[in-house]
Each structure stands twice: as structure tokens, then as C-alpha cells.
Amino acid sequence: MKVSQNWLKSLVEINTTPDDLSEKLSTGGFEVESLIDCSSNIKGIVLGKVLSVVKHVNSDKLSICSVDIGSSNFLQIICGAKNIKPNIYVFVATVGSHLSAINLTIKRSEIRGVMSEGMICSLEELGIEDTSEGIAIVNEEIASKHKLGTSGALVLDLNDYIYDLAITANRPDGMSVVGIAREISALLETKLTFPELNKVYKINVYKEFDLCPEAIIKNCLYSITHIESVNGKELSPHWLKDRLYKSGIKSINLLIDITNYILLEQGQPLHAFDKDKVTNLIGREVLPEDFSVRKAKDNESLLCLNGENYNLNENITIVACDDKPIAIAGVIGGLETAVNEYTSSIYLEGAVFNPVSIRKSSKEIGIRTESSSRFEKGISYKNTLDSVTRAINILEEFFNIPNPIINTSIELVNTEILIPLRRERIYKLLGPIVIRNDDLDINVQIEKRNLLDKEITDKLKLIGCTLHKKVYGWDVEVIPNRSHDLLREIDLIEEIARLIGYDKFDLNLPNPIKPGKLSSSQIVLRKLKTGFINIGFNEVLSYSLVPETNNDLIKISNPLLLETSCLRDNIWEEHIRICNQNIKSGQDYCWIFEVGNIFHKKPDFSQEEILNGVIYGNNKFEKWIRSSKDNNLNYYEARGKLKEALSILNLKIDDKPTDSIDFLHPGRNSKLFIEGNEVGYFGEIHPKLISDKKALKKMYLFRLTVDNILKASTRKNKWIPVYKQFPTVPKMERDINFIFNKKYLVKEIISQIKKSGKKLLEDVHLIDIYDDDNFGKEFISYTFRLSYRDSAKTLLDSDIVDLHDEIVEIIENKYSTKLRD
């Protein structure tokens, strides 16, 4: 929301600097995103009068001008404009001034042998217009009000500041100049003056309007007013154009400009329909009761003011006349019924629509307008008819309008809605204020006290509230344009604190202050992330909203865009896209991980926190180590990186080959298990993803369920380390070699050996794998090293020979194999 300080000054007394006011507004809740000095581009520009014009002897296109700028000496200026002539008022850039629009600093210079002491400027050179035909000639009536040499900023009404405010959704009153003026009055405690209604008009309550119950709900209304004897060729006065321009709205003609002016001033969108055009559209004389609000039909379309032809559907609310679409309600009007220079009679629409229906319409057609943004935030229907009256008042200053009748769907009844405000509740929530002695170098506390009744009532009156004294405190009546955010007692208490200043209240910290600490699960999660980062992974954060690609995704009810209409059910797809971007950027590797939520639709809506990641390329600084052009890790190297990252948690993770994951390479992926529970997967991406260009290179994906990892890591026997005495006797080792069918997993074989080894068998390791065609395609040789130890004595061969033979026999029988020599 952009607003001019000069406009604000016409409503409220401003007794501080623009910078200080910006700070106060930001502190009060209306953040000033930027403060624009309108005169910054024309410093050094003054009003001058051309006294004489003589052709330059050395140029056919240049003229030598004598210009009076109110100083003791006339300036000699060389000018090449075709419209230069004597006895006109112009804008003169004096020596030393800088024209930022054309990046030119004015110097005293010689042009074709003649000295030039300034520059006569066009509006384009001053940065006011995009293009200019020649120099700017100031209207004599305007020039006569100023002395020669007067600053150009004053002549052009640019001695002004523009506040660009960020208005939050809970403060729709900030979408109007009147609302901002009231806020400034409250912050500065200065006088506030509102525009008065010079004349009121007859109001006809017509309850037979055909209005969509979804769009016109309780606290909404629809009004239409026939206004005759207007002229579409009439242009707006300078003051109106200036206020619109500084608010970022282009002036078109007086009729349209007044609707935009009321939108800015009052925060109430209005729309004008050309009566003759509407009459031609429906084929007969149009009447107020012909207007209606309904849902659009699937086969309808509407050409709108922006030149776009929109295909309508039942999610879009429209304004119709005799059931023919003429506008998208609260968003944009139709071009076929728009006001133009030939307009002589209009129907003026003023309405308050349901914010939900406006938001749906705006989203469906993909545009957001000044009107729709106000309706979406919510405006009060109690101000609508006054805004229509204010617009007609301004029109009557320019046209002789017969007495108009405002037709409205409901009758406005002055119903008091009172909010009880308890004095004791204010004291309890806000506490005492601290009075400090500002005369000392340091703040010395001299008094603590609760707020006085007068302090409370004065602050609430500043924001327009009416207070009725009660024993417990007050009953407070809120003005209409604050009725959307001041609903409860706590809202009023917050306003009191905001206007008095939070820094004025006493601190109330817990005593003693207990330091917080991380839970076991939080510590594990931090260690887990550290483990990945320490070996070269980068943590990423991706968006949890995705487009609808299948029916298994959970749709959100109010998406802003189609691209963000569902909750994701995986993270790996986004990680592949991140890798692809890195590959296109010339990166040799991309190791990333993310801890985030995925969302499941079946069997019931649920969310699951997972750790997902991808490994592409070899993350090594010493690139000369590898002579091969292939920079990719093989399966076991990549799996080893995951093992290395997880080693910080001292968890044993088992792999079980699987072919059930369709986006991973068959035979090169496995499910991961901790303590017998499945916790995720690891594997190489399916070659089809590369052939379909969804992935550009070979990558490895992994996923771990965070909850399972946290439970396993924080189990008492894992979380609290148990130390064992270091063995004092040597161990005995024996190697065994068998040929196994490849269907048996090494993990299963080792587990069987350990079960058979009883207490003396300390550990089992796979030390060799040998594959030979002589064994057959289905067979492979494994060599295991068995370690025996007795904690009480040194073992002899005779102590383990029977046990070792028993283990060999069990393996031979269970796996149908024989011990190899």
C-alpha cells in the first residue's frame, strides 16, 4: 500500500519527520518497506521564464535562450527543442544539479562556440513521464502562483514523501488512507479530520436481488446506484491525478479515477458499468433489479478489462445483468460494459463479498487485483454505503447529477456490539509500567504503577473506540473498519500495550530462570546430521508442497498455485532434481541429505519424518588419485559412505537384497534393518530414470525412518555406554572355506555360525569371496575367520577342536555344502 504524506497531512496532523514516522509505523505494526522522497530526482530544478529565443549561428537545430530564474542575472541556455519559444514558463536544471533519469550532471559548457549555463528540461528528463515530445511548458495559471526560481518540486507537487507499507492480513484497515491516518493519529496523538459527506441520498432496500448465498453471506451486502448526466471525456483534476499517481495507479478519466480514489481513501472497492453498454448487452432498458451475483457456468467466458478472455467455471463468482456475465465479482470488470470516453450514464456498484469466494475466483483466473486483495482481507459492510455516497459527492462537484437512489440488498441497522474490558485483566496481563527519570545519564527506576483509567481510555479513543464506564471496567464499541481484528478483550488489551509501548512495562521473567536442554532424541538427531556433514554431505531443505501427479497424494483445500496443491509422499524425486541442477552446472559430485516429513494418504492421513539423501560422484579433493574417467562410486563404496555417516550412532544396520522398490536398480538395492525392524532402503537408481532423462547420471538413493533410528539410539543399553574389561589372554583363530549357493545371505551364514559357537566363539568375519565359473553360476566361495577366546585361560587346540568340528558339520548340513581344503 503506497500513500502520499501530503494526502495524509490533509487528514491528520503530522508533527515529526518522515524517517521518525516510518519508524513509529513499523513499530506499531505497519512496516514501512520503503520511504521515497519524490523530490530526489529534481533537486536543483527551478521555475524559469524564457525571455527571448535566437537561432544559433552555427546550428540549424539549436537556439540561444535568455532565461530568467529570479536571480540578478539572466541565464544563457542552448536548447534544441522544437517547441521552445519566448514568454513561456519552463523547468530549468541549474549548474551542478544531477538528472538521475538520464544520468547527467549539468555543467557550464560551450556548445558550438556559445556558452550554455543550464538546461531547459522535458518531463522525460525529469523522470516524471516515460516519453516527451519536447520541453515541459508550465501552465501560466500554475506558474503565476509561484515566484521565478521556485523549486520544481514545489511547482510539480513533488515536495512529498511516499510510504510503501506492508499490510498484514489481520489489519485490513491499513488498506485505506483513512485507516493509516487513524493509526498515525493514535501513534502521534494528533488531531484527525475525516472527509465529510456533503450530501446524503435516498436509500432503497431491495431485498429481491438474486444474490449467491456463498458470495453474499451475513455481514455482506450488494448495492447498485444509477447515476446520470456524466461525461466520460472529463479528465480528473490535478490533485486527484497526483494522489492516484503517488499510490501507483494510472489516471484514466474522472469516472474511473473516482472509483479508484474511493478504493484508496476508504478501502472500499467500487465498480462503474456503462449503462448504455449494459442496455445493448441485454437488449432492453436495464433496471437495478436486473443485477445479480451468481456462480459462473462451465460453458461461459468473459473478456475482462485487462484484455484477457477467461473461461469461467462454477468456482468463480460473477456479477450478471439479466443473467449475462458482466464482471468477475470483486476481482475485475468486463470490457464489454466498461466506462469509456462516450459514457454518459453509469451504474455504480458497491458491495462486500465473502472473502472465501473472492479468493477462489482470484485463484481460478490467476490474477490478484487491488479490489480482490481488499475483499480477501475483509472489509466492513457498514462503510460501503457511505463510500458510495462519498463517490457521488465528488461526482457532483463536476456534473449536475439528478438525485440518485442507492439500491441496497440489506438495511443497515445501528446495532451495538460491545466487548467487556476488565480493569483487573489488563493489570494481570500487562503488569505495571515503570516511570523512569529521563534527566539522568542512566535510567533510574523511580516508580512502578498500574495503568491509570485515563491512559487506557485515551489510547482506545485514539483508535476510534467508544467506551461505556462499568464497575469492572468498560464496555467497548469498536469502529467498523477495526471490527475484523478487534473481536475480544485480549485484542483490546494488545492495542493498549502497543500504543503505550511494550518497553514501558515492567519485566516479568521467571525466577529462577531454568536453562533449557536438549532431549535425548534431539541430541541423536543433531549427531546424525553431524555424521553426514563430517564426511562431505550437504544438508538441503526442499518444499513439502508439490503438484498433483497421482491420486495417492493428499490435496490441500486452499492451494495458492497448482504447482503447490498437494503434500509430497517422497523426497527422492526433488533430490534427483537438485542433483540434475548440479550436474548441469558442471559439478563433479553431489552428496546431499535432508530430514523432513512425507505424508501418506492410505490407510489414513499420516505423516512420517524421514532422512533422505542421494550420492552422485566421488567427493574427493585429490582427483589425481583416480586415473579412470569414471568419477562414480560403485555400489559398495556408496553404501560404505552411508555406513560411515551412521557410525557416529554406533548402530548395526543390516542389508537385505530386494527387488520390490520400482525406482531402484534390480539387484543393486536393499532394504535396511535395525534390530530386526525395517528402517529404510539403499540402492542405485533404476536405469529407466536415466533413459527417460529424469536423472542425468548414475546416483544412489537412501532413506531412513527417523523415529526408528531415534528409538534404537536412545535405548538404555545404547545411550549409556557399557565398558568391558580388556582381554588379558590371546585368542585363537581358525579359517573355514565353503562353496555356498548364492541364494544364501552372508549375514544368515554368520548368524548361524555364531549360534553354533557357544561361549568360546568370540567373533566371525568374512575375509574372502571367490567366484569361479567352475563352481557354476549359482555358487560362490566364502571364507570366514572364526575367533575363539576363553576369558579365564589361554586356549589349547584340544579345547576348541570339538567345537570347531561341530560348527563345520552344522554348516555343511544346513547349507548342503562341504568344507574346502
Side-chain angles (χ1 to χ4, degrees):
M1 174 74 181
K2 292 182 178 179
V3 61
S4 152
Q5 179 167 273
N6 287 347
W7 190 355
L8 288 170
K9 282 182 175 180
S10 68
L11 300 173
V12 62
E13 181 185 344
I14 298 177
N15 56 11
T16 187
T17 64
D19 288 326
D20 184 54
L21 180 57
S22 296
E23 182 68 25
K24 289 182 182 297
L25 283 169
S26 297
T27 305
F30 287 166
E31 182 186 355
V32 179
E33 293 186 321
S34 63
L35 178 64
I36 304 166
D37 182 356
C38 297
S39 65
S40 60
N41 290 336
I42 55 172
K43 293 189 183 298
I45 310 299
V46 298
L47 177 66
K49 182 178 183 180
V50 180
L51 302 177
S52 64
V53 177
V54 179
K55 283 293 181 182
H56 196 298
V57 293
N58 296 324
S59 174
D60 294 334
K61 296 182 179 180
L62 299 178
S63 301
I64 304 171
C65 307
S66 178
V67 182
D68 183 4
I69 62 168
S71 59
S72 56
N73 297 320
F74 299 152
L75 298 182
Q76 179 175 277
I77 299 176
I78 307 299
C79 180
K82 293 181 180 179
N83 60 337
I84 189 70
K85 58 186 178 180
N87 299 318
I88 60 172
Y89 294 93
V90 293
F91 294 111
V92 179
T94 55
V95 173
S97 59
H98 181 76
L99 301 176
S100 56
I102 57 175
N103 194 23
L104 176 67
T105 300
I106 306 301
K107 300 177 182 178
R108 191 171 183 272
S109 57
E110 189 176 295
I111 301 176
R112 300 283 181 94
V114 179
M115 189 59 64
S116 181
E117 301 171 306
M119 177 176 173
I120 301 174
C121 302
S122 67
L123 293 180
E124 180 183 359
E125 290 161 339
L126 295 178
I128 296 173
E129 292 185 354
D130 295 332
T131 58
S132 296
E133 292 297 324
I135 60 169
I137 299 176
V138 184
N139 184 281
E140 282 193 38
E141 184 179 347
I142 295 174
S144 63
K145 298 177 182 178
H146 305 280
K147 293 180 180 180
L148 295 177
T150 300
S151 168
L154 193 59
V155 178
L156 288 165
D157 282 336
L158 293 178
N159 195 16
D160 196 2
Y161 287 86
I162 296 174
Y163 299 86
D164 191 356
L165 304 169
I167 307 302
T168 54
N170 66 320
R171 289 297 302 273
D173 59 300
M175 297 295 284
S176 68
V177 179
V178 166
I180 297 167
R182 187 186 293 280
E183 180 72 11
I184 292 172
S185 172
L187 294 171
L188 301 182
E189 298 186 13
T190 54
K191 184 180 178 182
L192 181 66
T193 306
F194 284 137
E196 294 183 358
L197 298 179
N198 302 324
K199 183 180 177 182
V200 294
Y201 309 99
K202 181 181 178 181
I203 295 177
N204 175 42
V205 180
Y206 184 75
K207 296 185 178 180
E208 307 305 318
F209 278 121
D210 184 9
L211 303 175
C212 172
E214 290 183 33
I216 306 295
I217 58 175
K218 183 183 178 182
N219 297 336
C220 293
L221 67 74
Y222 187 82
S223 74
I224 198 80
T225 306
H226 181 209
I227 303 173
E228 295 183 291
S229 302
V230 296
N231 185 355
K233 294 181 180 179
E234 185 76 23
L235 299 179
S236 298
H238 174 73
W239 66 268
L240 181 52
K241 287 182 179 179
D242 180 66
R243 290 180 177 181
L244 293 178
Y245 170 76
K246 290 174 181 175
S247 298
I249 296 179
K250 184 180 179 181
S251 173
I252 299 174
N253 63 35
L254 181 60
L255 298 177
I256 296 174
D257 288 355
I258 288 175
T259 62
N260 287 330
Y261 181 76
I262 297 300
L263 174 131
L264 294 171
E265 182 189 77
Q266 303 291 331
Q268 171 66 57
L270 302 177
H271 187 74
F273 299 102
D274 187 310
K275 180 196 171 185
D276 294 334
K277 288 184 177 181
V278 177
T279 297
N280 291 335
L281 178 68
I282 68 174
R284 59 175 175 79
E285 187 73 13
V286 64
L287 299 172
E289 51 265 34
D290 291 323
F291 289 85
S292 62
V293 178
R294 64 172 173 84
K295 291 292 183 181
K297 301 169 186 174
D298 287 339
N299 60 346
E300 290 181 313
S301 64
L302 182 65
L303 179 63
C304 290
L305 292 171
N306 59 359
E308 294 288 333
N309 191 27
Y310 295 104
N311 294 318
L312 307 179
N313 59 57
E314 60 183 9
N315 291 323
I316 299 173
T317 305
I318 64 167
V319 176
C321 188
D322 197 27
D323 207 39
K324 292 181 172 58
I326 57 174
I328 297 175
V331 182
I332 191 170
L335 186 61
E336 196 174 354
T337 56
V339 170
N340 60 18
E341 60 181 345
Y342 304 109
T343 299
S344 60
S345 178
I346 63 170
Y347 270 101
L348 184 64
E349 175 195 77
V352 174
F353 300 102
N354 180 8
V356 175
S357 66
I358 300 302
R359 197 174 297 117
K360 285 182 179 179
S361 298
S362 182
K363 186 190 74 173
E364 282 292 326
I365 65 175
I367 63 170
R368 198 163 185 259
T369 61
E370 290 286 345
S371 295
S372 68
S373 64
R374 285 165 173 79
F375 283 126
E376 286 177 29
K377 284 183 169 66
I379 59 178
S380 174
Y381 73 101
K382 294 182 179 179
N383 288 334
T384 302
L385 299 187
D386 283 347
S387 297
V388 172
T389 302
R390 169 84 171 134
I392 301 172
N393 281 178
I394 299 175
L395 284 169
E396 285 189 326
E397 295 178 14
F398 302 92
F399 306 113
N400 186 20
I401 300 173
N403 290 330
I405 299 174
I406 301 174
N407 300 282
T408 177
S409 59
I410 62 172
E411 182 178 1
L412 295 184
V413 180
N414 291 326
T415 55
E416 281 189 345
I417 300 177
L418 301 177
I419 304 173
L421 178 62
R422 294 166 290 174
R423 187 181 293 104
E424 292 301 320
R425 185 66 173 162
I426 298 173
Y427 297 160
K428 183 177 180 180
L429 287 177
L430 300 184
I433 60 171
V434 179
I435 310 298
R436 302 181 188 278
N437 190 341
D438 296 330
D439 296 332
L440 300 178
D441 291 336
I442 58 174
N443 286 332
V444 178
Q445 179 179 314
I446 61 173
E447 182 186 354
K448 275 187 184 181
R449 63 167 175 80
N450 286 321
L451 290 172
L452 303 176
D453 282 6
K454 187 176 186 305
E455 290 173 321
I456 295 171
T457 56
D458 284 350
K459 294 303 179 186
L460 291 177
K461 287 177 182 177
L462 285 171
I463 58 172
C465 296
T466 303
L467 292 91
H468 306 280
K469 187 83 172 180
K470 298 292 181 181
V471 175
Y472 54 79
W474 304 268
D475 282 346
V476 182
E477 183 181 0
V478 177
I479 58 172
N481 71 344
R482 292 300 303 274
S483 60
H484 284 79
D485 68 299
L486 299 182
L487 303 171
R488 303 163 299 166
E489 181 183 44
I490 190 64
D491 299 327
L492 296 172
I493 296 173
E494 182 185 6
E495 285 296 287
I496 294 167
R498 183 177 70 86
L499 294 173
I500 287 188
Y502 291 107
D503 57 327
K504 302 288 177 58
F505 290 91
D506 189 28
L507 297 176
N508 186 19
L509 298 175
N511 187 25
I513 299 176
K514 295 181 180 179
K517 64 177 183 178
L518 296 175
S519 65
S520 300
S521 296
Q522 289 171 324
I523 292 172
V524 169
L525 190 56
R526 288 194 177 189
K527 288 176 69 176
L528 183 61
K529 291 181 179 181
T530 301
F532 278 93
I533 293 169
N534 285 347
I535 68 166
F537 279 82
N538 290 306
E539 186 177 6
V540 298
L541 181 65
S542 58
Y543 207 30
S544 59
L545 297 177
V546 295
E548 184 179 3
T549 54
N550 59 68
N551 293 328
D552 292 333
L553 297 177
I554 299 174
K555 296 180 183 179
I556 58 176
S557 59
N558 58 338
L560 294 176
L561 300 168
L562 292 175
E563 290 77 12
T564 56
S565 59
C566 296
L567 295 170
R568 67 185 177 189
D569 63 352
N570 72 75
I571 303 180
W572 64 266
E573 289 181 344
E574 181 59 29
H575 283 188
I576 288 180
R577 280 192 283 271
I578 293 172
C579 267
N580 288 342
Q581 291 173 358
N582 279 269
I583 292 169
K584 290 177 181 178
S585 300
Q587 297 297 318
D588 295 328
Y589 68 91
C590 181
W591 294 8
I592 58 175
F593 77 96
E594 176 179 357
V595 176
N597 289 317
I598 58 174
F599 305 87
H600 304 293
K601 187 174 183 179
K602 298 176 182 178
D604 296 314
F605 286 2
S606 62
Q607 73 178 44
E608 179 183 19
E609 188 176 25
I610 65 169
L611 186 151
N612 205 99
V614 63
I615 300 173
Y616 156 70
N618 191 13
N619 183 1
K620 277 189 174 293
F621 181 74
E622 304 87 351
K623 297 186 184 299
W624 55 270
I625 291 177
R626 282 179 171 265
S627 59
S628 172
K629 291 183 179 180
D630 185 9
N631 191 41
N632 289 321
L633 302 177
N634 62 37
Y635 178 89
Y636 299 103
E637 289 173 322
R639 177 64 181 88
K641 294 300 176 184
L642 178 60
K643 180 180 179 181
E644 186 179 352
L646 295 172
S647 64
I648 196 170
L649 297 181
N650 194 28
L651 289 176
K652 180 174 173 51
I653 298 184
D654 297 317
D655 294 51
K656 185 175 182 181
T658 180
D659 290 330
S660 62
I661 305 173
D662 56 5
F663 53 86
L664 295 181
H665 195 304
R668 297 184 189 174
N669 68 88
S670 60
K671 291 184 177 180
L672 306 179
F673 291 82
I674 296 178
E675 299 175 345
N677 298 316
E678 184 180 339
V679 297
Y681 61 75
F682 176 88
E684 181 183 326
I685 62 170
H686 200 290
K688 193 173 188 306
L689 293 176
I690 299 177
S691 62
D692 291 344
K693 303 298 182 183
K694 292 180 180 179
L696 300 180
K697 298 281 186 179
K698 182 172 74 174
M699 305 170 193
Y700 298 94
L701 302 175
F702 59 87
R703 172 182 140 179
L704 299 166
T705 304
V706 171
D707 185 56
N708 287 1
I709 292 177
L710 297 183
K711 286 179 180 178
S713 300
T714 55
R715 217 178 299 284
K716 189 174 181 180
N717 62 337
K718 290 285 187 182
W719 190 244
I720 302 174
V722 178
Y723 297 96
K724 295 181 180 179
Q725 184 177 356
F726 196 80
T728 58
V729 296
K731 63 182 177 181
M732 295 187 69
E733 294 181 338
R734 294 289 184 270
D735 293 346
I736 56 175
N737 176 264
F738 295 94
I739 296 175
F740 292 94
N741 192 304
K742 291 181 179 178
K743 68 181 181 179
Y744 298 120
L745 300 178
V746 172
K747 173 197 164 191
E748 296 176 3
I749 299 171
I750 290 177
S751 177
Q752 183 60 51
I753 293 173
K754 286 182 176 180
K755 288 179 182 178
S756 307
K758 302 177 182 177
K759 290 184 178 181
L760 290 182
L761 183 62
E762 183 180 70
D763 209 351
V764 181
H765 291 288
L766 176 69
I767 61 171
D768 185 60
I769 300 174
Y770 182 66
D771 198 357
D772 194 311
D773 291 341
N774 293 328
F775 299 152
K777 292 183 178 180
E778 297 180 359
F779 295 93
I780 192 169
S781 172
Y782 295 138
T783 301
F784 299 96
R785 178 160 292 165
L786 283 61
S787 300
Y788 297 95
R789 194 193 311 264
D790 188 336
S791 59
K793 67 174 185 175
T794 300
L795 292 174
L796 301 175
D797 282 344
S798 58
D799 295 325
I800 66 169
V801 63
D802 293 339
L803 176 61
H804 187 74
D805 290 342
E806 183 183 346
I807 292 172
V808 170
E809 184 180 355
I810 291 172
I811 296 301
E812 287 178 339
N813 293 334
K814 184 172 180 63
Y815 298 103
S816 303
T817 184
K818 286 290 183 181
L819 181 69
R820 296 183 69 213
D821 295 332

PDB file of all heavy atoms in Angstrom, residues 548-555 601-602:
ATOM      1  N   GLU A 548       0.019 -32.027  -8.292  1.00  0.00           N
ATOM      2  CA  GLU A 548      -0.709 -33.295  -8.255  1.00  0.00           C
ATOM      3  C   GLU A 548      -0.254 -34.163  -9.420  1.00  0.00           C
ATOM      4  O   GLU A 548      -0.523 -33.869 -10.579  1.00  0.00           O
ATOM      5  CB  GLU A 548      -2.219 -33.056  -8.340  1.00  0.00           C
ATOM      6  CG  GLU A 548      -3.034 -34.329  -8.216  1.00  0.00           C
ATOM      7  CD  GLU A 548      -4.526 -34.081  -8.285  1.00  0.00           C
ATOM      8  OE1 GLU A 548      -4.920 -32.910  -8.483  1.00  0.00           O
ATOM      9  OE2 GLU A 548      -5.296 -35.051  -8.153  1.00  0.00           O
ATOM     10  N   THR A 549       0.465 -35.252  -9.111  1.00  0.00           N
ATOM     11  CA  THR A 549       0.961 -36.154 -10.147  1.00  0.00           C
ATOM     12  C   THR A 549       0.284 -37.521 -10.101  1.00  0.00           C
ATOM     13  O   THR A 549       0.354 -38.279 -11.062  1.00  0.00           O
ATOM     14  CB  THR A 549       2.480 -36.346  -9.993  1.00  0.00           C
ATOM     15  OG1 THR A 549       2.762 -36.776  -8.648  1.00  0.00           O
ATOM     16  CG2 THR A 549       3.217 -35.041 -10.272  1.00  0.00           C
ATOM     17  N   ASN A 550      -0.380 -37.851  -8.974  1.00  0.00           N
ATOM     18  CA  ASN A 550      -1.119 -39.108  -8.879  1.00  0.00           C
ATOM     19  C   ASN A 550      -2.189 -38.986  -7.806  1.00  0.00           C
ATOM     20  O   ASN A 550      -2.208 -38.018  -7.040  1.00  0.00           O
ATOM     21  CB  ASN A 550      -0.174 -40.281  -8.582  1.00  0.00           C
ATOM     22  CG  ASN A 550       0.596 -40.090  -7.287  1.00  0.00           C
ATOM     23  OD1 ASN A 550       0.014 -40.121  -6.205  1.00  0.00           O
ATOM     24  ND2 ASN A 550       1.905 -39.872  -7.395  1.00  0.00           N
ATOM     25  N   ASN A 551      -3.052 -39.969  -7.747  1.00  0.00           N
ATOM     26  CA  ASN A 551      -4.183 -39.921  -6.823  1.00  0.00           C
ATOM     27  C   ASN A 551      -3.812 -40.280  -5.391  1.00  0.00           C
ATOM     28  O   ASN A 551      -4.654 -40.200  -4.491  1.00  0.00           O
ATOM     29  CB  ASN A 551      -5.289 -40.871  -7.308  1.00  0.00           C
ATOM     30  CG  ASN A 551      -5.910 -40.393  -8.602  1.00  0.00           C
ATOM     31  OD1 ASN A 551      -5.997 -39.183  -8.844  1.00  0.00           O
ATOM     32  ND2 ASN A 551      -6.328 -41.328  -9.445  1.00  0.00           N
ATOM     33  N   ASP A 552      -2.555 -40.695  -5.174  1.00  0.00           N
ATOM     34  CA  ASP A 552      -2.136 -41.080  -3.826  1.00  0.00           C
ATOM     35  C   ASP A 552      -1.675 -39.895  -2.991  1.00  0.00           C
ATOM     36  O   ASP A 552      -1.351 -40.048  -1.823  1.00  0.00           O
ATOM     37  CB  ASP A 552      -1.001 -42.106  -3.904  1.00  0.00           C
ATOM     38  CG  ASP A 552      -1.475 -43.435  -4.473  1.00  0.00           C
ATOM     39  OD1 ASP A 552      -2.669 -43.735  -4.318  1.00  0.00           O
ATOM     40  OD2 ASP A 552      -0.653 -44.152  -5.075  1.00  0.00           O
ATOM     41  N   LEU A 553      -1.622 -38.712  -3.595  1.00  0.00           N
ATOM     42  CA  LEU A 553      -1.178 -37.530  -2.871  1.00  0.00           C
ATOM     43  C   LEU A 553      -2.342 -36.892  -2.120  1.00  0.00           C
ATOM     44  O   LEU A 553      -3.483 -36.923  -2.582  1.00  0.00           O
ATOM     45  CB  LEU A 553      -0.567 -36.505  -3.825  1.00  0.00           C
ATOM     46  CG  LEU A 553       0.693 -36.933  -4.578  1.00  0.00           C
ATOM     47  CD1 LEU A 553       1.136 -35.830  -5.530  1.00  0.00           C
ATOM     48  CD2 LEU A 553       1.813 -37.273  -3.613  1.00  0.00           C
ATOM     49  N   ILE A 554      -2.042 -36.299  -0.974  1.00  0.00           N
ATOM     50  CA  ILE A 554      -3.068 -35.604  -0.186  1.00  0.00           C
ATOM     51  C   ILE A 554      -3.188 -34.180  -0.733  1.00  0.00           C
ATOM     52  O   ILE A 554      -2.218 -33.425  -0.762  1.00  0.00           O
ATOM     53  CB  ILE A 554      -2.674 -35.561   1.305  1.00  0.00           C
ATOM     54  CG1 ILE A 554      -2.552 -36.979   1.861  1.00  0.00           C
ATOM     55  CG2 ILE A 554      -3.691 -34.755   2.102  1.00  0.00           C
ATOM     56  CD1 ILE A 554      -2.029 -37.034   3.284  1.00  0.00           C
ATOM     57  N   LYS A 555      -4.401 -33.818  -1.161  1.00  0.00           N
ATOM     58  CA  LYS A 555      -4.626 -32.470  -1.694  1.00  0.00           C
ATOM     59  C   LYS A 555      -4.900 -31.510  -0.541  1.00  0.00           C
ATOM     60  O   LYS A 555      -5.550 -31.869   0.441  1.00  0.00           O
ATOM     61  CB  LYS A 555      -5.831 -32.465  -2.643  1.00  0.00           C
ATOM     62  CG  LYS A 555      -5.638 -33.312  -3.882  1.00  0.00           C
ATOM     63  CD  LYS A 555      -6.886 -33.239  -4.761  1.00  0.00           C
ATOM     64  CE  LYS A 555      -6.765 -34.141  -5.973  1.00  0.00           C
ATOM     65  NZ  LYS A 555      -7.977 -34.097  -6.814  1.00  0.00           N
ATOM     66  N   LYS A 601      -1.501 -40.938   2.352  1.00  0.00           N
ATOM     67  CA  LYS A 601      -2.959 -40.839   2.236  1.00  0.00           C
ATOM     68  C   LYS A 601      -3.643 -42.106   2.737  1.00  0.00           C
ATOM     69  O   LYS A 601      -4.758 -42.040   3.276  1.00  0.00           O
ATOM     70  CB  LYS A 601      -3.330 -40.588   0.772  1.00  0.00           C
ATOM     71  CG  LYS A 601      -4.788 -40.290   0.532  1.00  0.00           C
ATOM     72  CD  LYS A 601      -5.019 -39.919  -0.932  1.00  0.00           C
ATOM     73  CE  LYS A 601      -6.466 -39.546  -1.206  1.00  0.00           C
ATOM     74  NZ  LYS A 601      -6.670 -39.164  -2.626  1.00  0.00           N
ATOM     75  N   LYS A 602      -2.982 -43.256   2.538  1.00  0.00           N
ATOM     76  CA  LYS A 602      -3.589 -44.537   2.892  1.00  0.00           C
ATOM     77  C   LYS A 602      -2.739 -45.216   3.955  1.00  0.00           C
ATOM     78  O   LYS A 602      -1.517 -45.101   3.955  1.00  0.00           O
ATOM     79  CB  LYS A 602      -3.692 -45.422   1.652  1.00  0.00           C
ATOM     80  CG  LYS A 602      -4.586 -44.839   0.556  1.00  0.00           C
ATOM     81  CD  LYS A 602      -4.563 -45.717  -0.685  1.00  0.00           C
ATOM     82  CE  LYS A 602      -5.412 -45.120  -1.811  1.00  0.00           C
ATOM     83  NZ  LYS A 602      -5.355 -45.944  -3.021  1.00  0.00           N
TER      84      LYS A 602
END
